[in-house]
């Protein structure tokens, strides 16, 4: 059976990836920072095809240990890596680039986003490259965001999520660098935006709500057909369908859950 690693699997889309992959009979390794507190994952642990691993993607020793644990089960191989783990916090997220409360707050926001959304993905991917090299599919799916597309930002005039957007823009080049090295060997490195997905487990702070409403208006102006967030089930289903049918000729591309770069919503 195909083997998958899902990094950032404790909740939201990561957990949904685990559920849908298990439902198809795949062997799944789910990485979470605190597995014991991941109720959704624990509810699935009776499935013999699920292996729950502890790991923080910003810690190289954690990712190497997760790769070693995976190799012991698979005999040293891996078919697909899904980089889902990401950092997005309400703290500082809805400030414009010159509107942070202090220089220290700006630096913290950029560092947190960079360390997880860029370096963490590199550390995770590098740790599993030796296993992927022995796998049959050799696919890496990295979740990005349409907010990392400069043209979409210009079109919508979306000024917030500064550090997150910059990190996701850089993540596209990370994906391209991997593709540049491994495309001739038949690998697929695909960056994908899941769309606007409803994954919040609690209501956003009251002072953020007006900005979310403004954001929704900007998105609707850019994409009149957009009616609001989609469910994790819908988003993950679309992304897995794209992953299944996509081959090395698309390696290095950055697309949406709709399969192109013209429609992020």
């Amino acid at each position: 059976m195909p083997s998958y690693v899902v990094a950032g699997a404790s909740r939201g889309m990561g957990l949904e990836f685990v559920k849908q992959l298990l439902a198809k009979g795949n062997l799944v390794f789910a990485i979470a920072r605190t597995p014991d507190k991941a109720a959704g994952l624990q509810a699935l642990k009776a499935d013999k095809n699920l292996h729950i691993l502890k790991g923080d993607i910003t810690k190289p020793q954690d990712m190497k240990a997760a790769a070693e644990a995976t190799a012991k089960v698979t005999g040293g191989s891996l078919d697909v890596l899904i980089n889902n783990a990401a950092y997005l916090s309400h703290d500082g997220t809805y400030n414009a680039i010159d509107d942070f409360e202090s220089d220290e707050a700006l630096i913290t926001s950029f560092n947190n986003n960079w360390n997880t959304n860029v370096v963490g993905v590199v550390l995770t991917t590098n740790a599993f490259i030796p296993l992927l090299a022995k796998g049959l599919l050799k696919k890496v799916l990295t979740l990005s965001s349409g907010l990392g597309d400069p043209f979409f930002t210009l079109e919508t005039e979306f000024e917030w999520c500064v550090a997150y957007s910059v990190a996701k823009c850089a993540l596209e080049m990370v994906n391209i660098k991997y593709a540049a090295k491994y495309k001739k060997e038949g690998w697929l490195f695909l960056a994908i935006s899941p769309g606007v997905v409803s994954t919040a487990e609690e209501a956003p702070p009251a002072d953020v709500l007006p900005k979310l409403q403004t954001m929704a208006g900007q998105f609707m102006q850019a994409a009149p057909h957009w009616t609001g967030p989609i469910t994790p089930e819908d988003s993950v289903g679309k992304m897995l369908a794209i992953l299944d049918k996509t081959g090395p000729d698309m390696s290095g591309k950055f697309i949406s859950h709709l399969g192109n770069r013209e429609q992020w919503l």
Side-chain angles (χ1 to χ4, degrees):
M1 67 185 74
S3 56
Y4 290 74
V5 164
V6 180
S10 63
R11 58 186 179 84
M13 286 184 294
L15 179 61
E16 186 59 30
F17 271 115
V18 172
K19 290 179 178 178
Q20 293 195 24
L21 289 169
L22 287 174
K24 295 178 180 179
N26 297 294
L27 181 63
V28 181
F29 298 85
I31 302 176
R33 282 185 299 174
T34 53
D36 293 343
K37 296 181 179 180
L41 274 182
Q42 294 301 322
L44 300 172
K45 67 180 182 180
D47 192 316
K48 59 180 175 50
N49 287 336
L50 175 63
H51 297 263
I52 301 174
L53 306 176
K54 179 180 174 62
D56 182 334
I57 71 166
T58 66
K59 297 178 179 178
Q61 66 273 22
D62 282 12
M63 292 303 97
K64 290 176 182 177
E68 291 172 0
T70 301
K72 289 179 180 178
V73 176
T74 64
S77 67
L78 176 67
D79 292 311
V80 181
L81 168 64
I82 298 177
N83 286 312
N84 173 74
Y87 177 88
L88 178 61
S89 170
H90 287 303
D91 184 20
T93 295
Y94 293 96
N95 292 329
I97 195 164
D98 58 350
D99 194 31
F100 282 80
E101 63 184 33
S102 66
D103 291 337
E104 290 73 20
L106 182 149
I107 291 170
T108 297
S109 181
F110 268 80
N111 284 344
N112 287 339
N113 276 276
W114 184 262
N115 289 340
T116 300
N117 298 336
V118 182
V119 179
V121 172
V122 175
L123 292 173
T124 304
T125 305
N126 285 353
F128 285 96
I129 285 286
L131 279 69
L132 289 160
K134 298 178 181 178
L136 296 177
L137 299 179
K138 297 179 176 59
K139 292 186 175 184
V140 178
L141 183 70
T142 297
L143 269 66
S144 188
S145 170
L147 296 181
D149 179 5
F151 299 103
F152 181 74
T153 300
L154 282 172
E155 183 180 12
T156 59
E157 299 181 352
F158 186 72
E159 63 187 90
W160 303 310
C161 297
V162 175
Y164 178 81
S165 298
V166 170
K168 290 297 187 180
C169 187
L171 187 59
E172 180 176 5
M173 183 56 72
V174 167
N175 189 61
I176 289 171
K177 289 296 186 182
Y178 281 115
K181 179 175 181 181
Y182 290 100
K183 188 173 183 177
K184 291 180 181 179
E185 298 177 26
W187 294 51
L188 170 68
F189 287 89
L190 186 66
I192 193 165
S193 169
V196 180
V197 185
S198 179
T199 59
E201 297 179 343
E202 57 185 36
D207 62 330
V208 170
L209 284 174
K211 293 183 177 181
L212 290 175
Q213 292 169 346
T214 299
M215 178 182 72
Q218 291 171 319
F219 287 177
M220 288 179 179
Q221 184 173 355
H225 66 277
W226 187 68
T227 58
I230 59 177
T231 65
E233 293 85 353
D234 187 14
S235 176
V236 169
K238 285 182 169 63
M239 289 189 287
L240 286 177
I242 291 171
L243 179 64
D244 287 343
K245 68 181 182 182
T246 303
D249 59 306
M250 285 287 287
S251 195
K253 300 296 185 182
F254 174 27
I255 61 174
S256 74
H257 63 300
L258 300 174
N260 59 65
R261 191 161 181 158
E262 290 74 42
Q263 296 174 280
W264 295 119
L265 299 168

